[in-house]
Amino acid sequence: MRLSLALLLLLPLCGFAQSKEEKDVLAAVQLLFDGMAAHSAEKLIAATSANAQFVATTGDQSRLISREAFVKSNENNKSAALERIWQPKVRIRGGTIADVWAEYDYHRDGKFDHCGIDAFQLVRESGAWKIVSVIWTSEKEGCKPSPLGPPK
């Protein structure tokens, strides 16, 4: 929760999302991260559309993961997870679709694990932004230091 509030407070200062709609899109992404950190199926389901798909890429390999499998994997994984994005690029069209592209780092049990690019696609469902797909790279080397500094 502290990380969510900190990120939302930093967004205007760093020139990230300016409009309310962009902030709402990023709030859906942050809800996913909060669900991952809390191992909360409820938050993960709230952040995503019923048919959401996740694609993990490492090198030239990719793995497709259903929402159900993603939620279950998160519930079973009890390590402390922290994923942070910075300088997100948000695009919205017609108030019905959006995408977010951002660099990220991922920490497991307080230690850096990997970095990469997160790409989210979202739709507006019943007035709320929901993630319909996430694809990310998983890189262990060549990671730039986060402008957010070390995790707290």
Side-chain angles (χ1 to χ4, degrees):
M1 181 68 156
R2 283 184 281 156
L3 178 62
S4 300
L5 181 57
L7 285 177
L8 289 175
L9 291 174
L10 284 173
L11 290 175
L13 298 175
C14 299
F16 296 162
Q18 297 300 315
S19 74
K20 178 185 179 331
E21 198 164 29
E22 288 171 322
K23 289 177 184 177
D24 289 347
V25 166
L26 289 172
V29 170
Q30 187 60 50
L31 181 58
L32 180 79
F33 292 156
D34 292 345
M36 290 166 54
H39 306 288
S40 168
E42 182 178 322
K43 287 181 180 181
L44 294 173
I45 290 168
T48 56
S49 181
N51 295 316
Q53 294 188 325
F54 301 79
V55 181
T57 66
T58 305
D60 65 353
Q61 301 293 312
S62 63
R63 181 173 42 106
L64 179 65
I65 307 160
S66 68
R67 179 173 87 161
E68 181 181 316
F70 186 81
V71 169
K72 189 173 189 171
S73 173
N74 251 283
E75 285 182 308
N76 293 335
N77 176 3
K78 296 304 177 190
S79 64
L82 172 63
E83 185 161 345
R84 309 179 304 168
I85 61 172
W86 55 89
Q87 298 174 341
K89 293 165 186 64
V90 180
R91 297 183 302 181
I92 301 168
R93 183 65 178 217
T96 57
I97 66 169
D99 66 11
V100 176
W101 175 280
E103 290 189 63
Y104 79 94
D105 62 8
Y106 183 87
H107 300 262
R108 185 186 318 270
D109 294 328
K111 295 183 175 119
F112 174 81
D113 190 76
H114 64 275
C115 71
I117 294 293
D118 278 339
F120 301 87
Q121 291 187 319
L122 300 92
V123 296
R124 188 183 298 278
E125 292 180 355
S126 303
W129 287 106
K130 300 288 183 175
I131 296 167
V132 293
S133 70
V134 184
I135 187 168
W136 65 92
T137 64
S138 182
E139 304 162 31
K140 297 275 188 181
E141 298 174 356
C143 299
K144 296 185 257 179
S146 167
L148 301 175
K152 295 175 174 73

